[in-house]
Amino acid sequence: MRFPLVLTLQALWASVCQTMQHYPAWGHYDVCKSQVYTDEGLTWDYMACQPEAMDMTKYLKVTVDPPNITCGDPPETYCALENPYMCNNECDAENEDLAHPPELMFDFEGRNPTTFWQSSSWKKYPKALLVNITLSWSKTIELTDDIVVTFESGRPEQMVLEKSLDYGKTWQPYQFYATDCLDAFTMDAKTVQDLTQHTLLDIICTEEYSRGYVWKYDKTVRFEIKDRFALFAGPRLHNMASLYGQLDTTKNLRDFFTITDLRVRLLRPATGATMVDENNLSRYFYAISDIKVQGRCKCNLHANSCVFDKETLNCECEHNTTGPDCGRCKRNYQGRTWSAGSYLPIPKGTANTCIPNSIGPVTRVCDNELLRCQNGGVCLNNLRCQCTAAFTGLLCEKPRCESELGGCGGPDSGQAALSSTPLSTLLLLLLGSTLLREASYRPALL
Ligand SMILES: [Ca+2]
């Protein structure tokens, strides 16, 4: 009784899968496999797949450097940048209500007043006030939306956003920010709107997010991912197919949006004026209320989910792949070289699954694509290879002599038989033992 029920459920599942496959024109890549009916019965159809984009700040580790740069140890009172007589901003690391630890850059925002991390003030002016804020995921992730840093104080006059692709070993700049790009970094000021498809990977310096005087209303510093996507996908990202096509064929472009770590290097705080007020340095500091990083786990198009377990993100690999990024074939599934899935052809892409090492007791023994009969064998109904006389094995991969008494080098083997014709025997007898030894070595040399 249970058997028909299982069949019915399977049929139902297959039809649900088929109904769910109403992809938009560019594909969602949210399904890794589905069961389909073919002439040979129910089989799996594999597709390229990737996890949903999510709020990546829930999974990061934050480090602030130098370690003692966070305010409150010892307690300090700060003055407002725009009003040196308004000094009611107190920071005390020992008092929960007055402490500003790094975690407050990633807590739920939306309450009033905002919560924020704050540095100690620029007491050592004119020595630069340098702070690095490093966000580490211990996992490769792909950015899907703008990185947005919201400042509680004035936005810095100089900062650099950097990325790492090797877990913090090496760093590359993503974008430079300054009130005066030429002065700070000897770079011409640009905006993301100046970029084209050809210059998308250029690293620019922008003055758009650093102007001091209007800071009260303009608190964010952005790294514009979506504007960069739009160079291929159109202004409202309506042509994602074009973007995915480019990502598929251009490794540099894919790597550009891929990170393991981010680093915000704060180089000079807001001063609000051309001159720094040396008599009241407690007006100058950094304070950040929120950092947004939206992205997805990089799973090489072999997983549609990514789980956070024991403080690490891991792809839940399909397609017989394994590893944190599904970057290799599972044991016993190394029948061909691993490769990433592909977004193409749109909408379902290509799964590039890993295949078994050797062919076990499966119904499908051979085909014309991956499991080809070797050494001239012919595949019969996908069930067996019809081998030529000299070969045997499931895929005709073994010389027949190997399975015969004495092996390929023995007197009964086909190769030995070649040198045992009456003529050669006569010649060998005549030419003596030296040549005999050479002749018997020859098959091994071939
Ligand atoms: Ca906050």
Side-chain angles (χ1 to χ4, degrees):
M1 284 304 285
R2 195 174 288 168
F3 189 57
L5 177 69
V6 170
L7 274 185
T8 320
L9 281 176
Q10 269 187 348
L12 186 68
W13 173 241
S15 69
V16 167
C17 287
Q18 271 164 8
T19 329
M20 280 165 64
Q21 286 171 27
H22 286 296
Y23 294 99
W26 52 272
H28 264 153
Y29 304 105
D30 53 354
V31 182
C32 295
K33 61 181 178 186
S34 71
Q35 280 197 303
V36 287
Y37 282 107
T38 64
D39 295 345
E40 291 155 27
L42 208 51
T43 59
W44 288 107
D45 185 22
Y46 296 99
M47 292 151 264
C49 54
Q50 62 186 8
E52 291 259 342
M54 52 189 183
D55 172 6
M56 297 309 294
T57 59
K58 292 179 184 158
Y59 313 106
L60 58 79
K61 193 177 139 257
V62 58
T63 324
V64 175
D65 190 60
N68 60 353
I69 199 72
T70 298
C71 70
D73 185 19
E76 210 180 333
T77 302
Y78 298 80
C79 303
L81 179 65
E82 73 274 29
N83 182 352
Y85 305 104
M86 200 168 88
C87 304
N88 54 4
N89 178 352
E90 241 184 297
C91 181
D92 182 351
E94 298 292 309
N95 180 339
E96 202 184 318
D97 294 334
L98 298 174
H100 294 286
E103 303 86 83
L104 297 181
M105 292 184 276
F106 309 103
D107 58 342
F108 172 75
E109 211 47 75
R111 65 191 116 187
N112 203 9
T114 49
T115 57
F116 52 92
W117 164 82
Q118 185 169 315
S119 75
S120 44
S121 66
W122 201 359
K123 287 171 291 215
K124 290 182 184 156
Y125 174 86
K127 198 175 165 241
L129 179 62
L130 304 178
V131 183
N132 284 350
I133 298 171
T134 308
L135 319 183
S136 309
W137 282 272
S138 305
K139 166 84 189 81
T140 43
I141 62 173
E142 295 164 336
L143 299 171
T144 56
D145 205 338
D146 295 3
I147 296 168
V148 186
V149 183
T150 307
F151 283 83
E152 181 65 18
S153 60
R155 296 180 295 187
E157 288 182 2
Q158 291 174 17
M159 85 169 232
V160 191
L161 180 69
E162 295 179 325
K163 64 170 269 196
S164 171
L165 241 177
D166 52 15
Y167 308 96
K169 280 193 209 80
T170 61
W171 295 90
Q172 300 88 42
Y174 242 159
Q175 195 144 295
F176 293 86
Y177 302 85
T179 41
D180 186 335
C181 282
L182 210 54
D183 178 53
F185 302 112
T186 54
M187 292 171 82
D188 286 325
K190 285 192 178 159
T191 70
V192 71
Q193 274 73 39
D194 296 326
L195 296 174
T196 64
Q197 285 191 356
H198 300 289
T199 59
L200 191 150
L201 303 183
D202 284 4
I203 306 304
I204 59 167
C205 178
T206 177
E207 297 176 356
E208 208 174 346
Y209 305 103
S210 310
R211 276 154 293 181
Y213 9 96
V214 286
W215 68 268
K216 235 183 155 179
Y217 310 100
D218 227 346
K219 295 182 161 190
T220 57
V221 174
R222 275 176 184 269
F223 180 61
E224 310 87 343
I225 298 285
K226 283 205 161 160
D227 287 337
R228 284 171 169 85
F229 282 172
L231 292 173
F232 287 106
R236 299 216 322 260
L237 304 184
H238 59 272
N239 188 6
M240 287 298 277
S242 162
L243 174 66
Y244 279 128
Q246 282 297 327
L247 287 171
D248 219 277
T249 46
T250 321
K251 187 181 180 296
N252 283 353
L253 186 67
R254 221 163 45 228
D255 285 351
F256 183 81
F257 298 109
T258 308
I259 60 168
T260 57
D261 303 68
L262 278 177
R263 185 159 76 179
V264 179
R265 289 180 55 204
L266 303 167
L267 303 177
R268 185 183 167 90
T271 60
T274 42
M275 296 291 285
V276 171
D277 174 6
E278 289 190 53
N279 298 318
N280 192 350
L281 291 171
S282 38
R283 293 167 69 191
Y284 311 115
F285 54 90
Y286 306 108
I288 296 177
S289 62
D290 194 59
I291 301 182
K292 282 198 169 28
V293 184
Q294 194 81 15
R296 64 165 57 93
C297 286
K298 178 189 168 86
C299 302
N300 286 299
L301 295 175
H302 287 311
N304 62 357
S305 74
C306 186
V307 292
F308 191 59
D309 187 29
K310 295 183 192 121
E311 302 287 297
T312 37
L313 282 167
N314 275 297
C315 300
E316 295 221 289
C317 302
E318 296 272 358
H319 305 158
N320 303 320
T321 60
T322 189
D325 304 348
C326 310
R328 56 182 201 269
C329 289
K330 264 193 338 201
R331 248 177 76 147
N332 301 327
Y333 285 88
Q334 283 132 347
R336 64 170 164 178
T337 321
W338 175 92
S339 63
S342 159
Y343 286 115
L344 301 173
I346 286 160
K348 284 161 60 172
T350 312
N352 290 332
T353 54
C354 290
I355 58 170
N357 284 356
S358 55
I359 314 306
V362 288
T363 46
R364 194 183 181 87
V365 168
C366 55
D367 57 32
N368 292 321
E369 292 163 53
L370 302 172
L371 303 170
R372 286 189 201 180
C373 303
Q374 296 163 27
N375 299 308
V378 179
C379 181
L380 296 179
N381 300 324
N382 299 124
L383 289 174
R384 67 183 190 89
C385 289
Q386 192 173 47
C387 304
T388 53
F391 292 90
T392 183
L394 262 179
L395 293 175
C396 313
E397 70 281 11
K398 284 187 277 191
R400 189 174 290 277
C401 54
E402 268 182 18
S403 55
E404 284 168 0
L405 193 67
C408 293
D412 297 328
S413 76
Q415 283 165 57
L418 286 176
S419 58
S420 62
T421 55
L423 180 63
S424 62
T425 312
L426 187 64
L427 279 170
L428 289 169
L429 283 171
L430 286 169
L431 292 172
S433 62
T434 316
L435 274 177
L436 174 68
R437 217 177 294 133
E438 207 177 289
S440 63
Y441 281 161
R442 195 165 291 152
L445 289 170
L446 292 171

